[in-house]
Amino acid sequence: MTIQPVDSPRQLGRFIEFPYRFYRDRKDPYWVPPLRSDERARLTPGKNPFFEHAEAALFLAEEGGRVTGRIAASVDRNYDSLHGERQAAFGFFEAESAPAAAALLASARSWAREKDADVLRGPLSFTTNDECGLLIEGFDHRPALMMPYNPPEYAEWIEAAGFQKAKDLYSFRAPIPSEPPPAYARIAAMTRRKENVRTRAIDMRRFREELERVKELYNNAWEKNWGFVPMTEREIDHMAAQLKPAIVPDLVRFAEVDGVPVAFGLLMPDLNIALRKAGGRLFPFGLFQILWTMPRIREFRFMALGIRAEWRRTGIAPLLVDELCRVVWRKGYRSCEIGWTLEDNEPVNRLAIVMGGTRSGVYRIYEREVA
């Protein structure tokens, strides 16, 4: 076995292509193939604004000229300056065998050492704003939009390489009730009667202005979360451009006090239902499959509920939840995935359970000292 750095367009193509063959050979019924064009953009400096404040190295495991695994290692100056530590991350991790996994993780750790990192954490592809965590519970269903999926044996292989749990993330599956939970409905009704409070859907005609509001709220609401890295303006623009074609305006709502946005809720139709049919390619038939399937999707991912710190515990959150519940029921949605959430975020986890959710997935972020 050899470990090869990805240093050419051909090698990048092999890096991108590996999971498509790997999961096809496993006949895995749940893995959802991402669009190859999106994967190439994620991994290419100049196309992904992550690389404006970070760098990464990609590696392939090979045996007899055949790719048997892959991994990316990265360092992020924005993370280090915010958290006061030198972290390296590993992600995009796939392997056919324990020896391939061990060799790839060792290569990522060696690269992290060269970058003077103190700790190596992952899977993070590339940050907590992207796909993150290793699935360790919940292998019996398709992942939701932008949620990871992997074989169960990966946990054993990563732990054998000396990594330990840093943090667990949860997801919850919930049916959509025809009426919001009574307690939330009562609080929402009281909050709604305040003359200076209102909610509204995103105005797609003023998308640029609305995006500026989301940027400010997102970075303020999550700044104290474990592992959080503020998204730059270019990163939020980049993500918004990818998600915009699938946005249902009524499912993105702001709460305003005296006309100033203080919170937002983001629900996205579960595009993985459409991507699964496309097979990772837009042409010749993938785009048709996506366009045909998208209007018929009746599941969504509750991606974010962000509230400015000073407006928490004021009834704003129940108001947004109440209105979103009523909207999605009217539009015919009948199930959702809530997450991810931090394992120790009791208020949000309690909300998911109150909404009728049951824990459907656990995603673990591992860490190991580099030295």
Side-chain angles (χ1 to χ4, degrees):
M1 181 185 298
T2 60
I3 301 298
Q4 302 289 341
V6 172
D7 55 8
S8 68
R10 177 179 176 274
Q11 288 289 74
L12 178 59
R14 299 175 78 206
F15 185 95
I16 292 169
E17 193 63 29
F18 175 71
Y20 297 87
R21 172 175 62 78
F22 174 61
Y23 285 100
R24 183 177 64 247
D25 290 348
R26 289 175 62 94
K27 296 182 171 56
D28 193 297
Y30 299 122
W31 184 70
V32 177
L35 292 175
R36 288 170 171 84
S37 55
D38 285 353
E39 290 297 278
R40 186 172 291 274
R42 288 174 72 193
L43 294 162
T44 303
K47 293 185 177 181
N48 184 348
F50 168 77
F51 291 104
E52 294 172 3
H53 52 84
E55 61 178 306
L58 313 182
F59 301 95
L60 292 171
E62 293 186 9
E63 292 185 62
R66 179 176 175 275
V67 176
T68 58
R70 70 175 196 174
I71 200 168
S74 61
V75 290
D76 181 358
R77 295 184 295 276
N78 285 1
Y79 176 93
D80 289 353
S81 62
L82 178 66
H83 292 274
E85 67 174 351
R86 296 186 65 82
Q87 172 189 273
F90 74 88
F92 299 91
F93 172 72
E94 304 283 1
E96 289 185 352
S97 66
L104 288 164
L105 290 163
S107 296
R109 188 162 165 247
S110 177
W111 185 87
R113 190 180 300 116
E114 293 174 9
K115 298 300 175 181
D116 295 322
D118 297 319
V119 63
L120 178 61
R121 293 193 180 101
L124 294 165
S125 303
F126 289 103
T127 73
T128 56
N129 297 317
D130 305 299
E131 286 185 10
C132 56
L134 185 85
L135 181 65
I136 63 169
E137 179 183 307
F139 297 96
D140 58 349
H141 56 82
R142 169 188 50 77
L145 173 68
M146 294 179 65
M147 295 295 283
Y149 180 83
N150 53 262
E153 56 266 27
Y154 282 8
E156 179 183 348
W157 296 348
I158 290 174
E159 290 165 14
F163 287 82
Q164 299 178 333
K165 171 187 169 180
K167 184 72 71 174
D168 279 352
L169 317 174
Y170 294 161
S171 64
F172 299 83
R173 295 253 171 179
I176 306 303
S178 57
E179 293 287 337
Y184 276 74
R186 286 194 299 271
I187 298 172
M190 290 188 291
T191 307
R192 199 176 281 116
R193 286 195 289 269
K194 298 176 182 177
E195 293 183 0
N196 63 334
V197 177
R198 73 162 189 145
T199 69
R200 63 174 180 84
I202 189 172
D203 186 347
M204 298 299 287
R205 297 169 300 179
R206 298 184 295 130
F207 187 72
R208 296 296 311 176
E209 299 170 42
E210 299 285 59
L211 190 57
E212 291 300 317
R213 298 181 177 98
V214 170
K215 290 175 185 177
E216 182 182 356
L217 288 169
Y218 180 82
N219 286 335
N220 177 276
W222 276 271
E223 65 178 349
K224 302 299 183 183
N225 275 11
W226 182 91
F228 175 70
V229 187
M231 295 183 76
T232 66
E233 291 202 5
R234 290 251 303 132
E235 285 176 304
I236 290 183
D237 290 344
H238 180 72
M239 180 176 286
Q242 289 182 311
L243 295 178
K244 184 179 179 181
I247 288 176
V248 177
D250 283 341
L251 304 191
V252 184
R253 299 191 74 82
F254 291 96
E256 298 178 340
V257 177
D258 294 324
V260 177
V262 299
F264 78 102
L266 172 61
L267 279 57
M268 287 295 300
D270 190 356
L271 294 185
N272 273 5
I273 296 172
L275 291 175
R276 192 176 185 181
K277 296 177 181 294
R281 297 186 189 277
L282 285 176
F283 302 102
F285 304 114
L287 181 60
F288 172 79
Q289 291 280 7
I290 292 172
L291 294 176
W292 172 261
T293 306
M294 277 177 51
R296 294 160 176 80
I297 294 173
R298 289 299 173 261
E299 301 176 31
F300 66 88
R301 179 181 166 201
F302 200 144
M303 292 185 68
L305 180 64
I307 305 170
R308 294 186 68 92
E310 62 270 29
W311 289 100
R312 293 167 192 162
R313 304 181 185 278
T314 62
I316 295 293
L319 176 61
L320 270 176
V321 170
D322 177 273
E323 297 208 354
L324 286 167
C325 279
R326 297 178 190 277
V327 166
V328 297
W329 178 266
R330 288 199 304 269
K331 288 187 168 293
Y333 293 91
R334 292 298 178 262
S335 67
C336 75
E337 178 157 309
I338 303 169
W340 52 264
T341 72
L342 291 168
E343 61 178 331
D344 48 6
N345 191 337
E346 290 298 330
V348 173
N349 293 335
R350 203 161 44 239
L351 167 63
I353 293 169
V354 168
M355 294 297 296
T358 56
R359 199 170 75 188
S360 56
V362 179
Y363 308 84
R364 179 159 295 172
I365 296 176
Y366 288 91
E367 65 183 5
R368 151 158 208 184
E369 290 184 359
V370 170

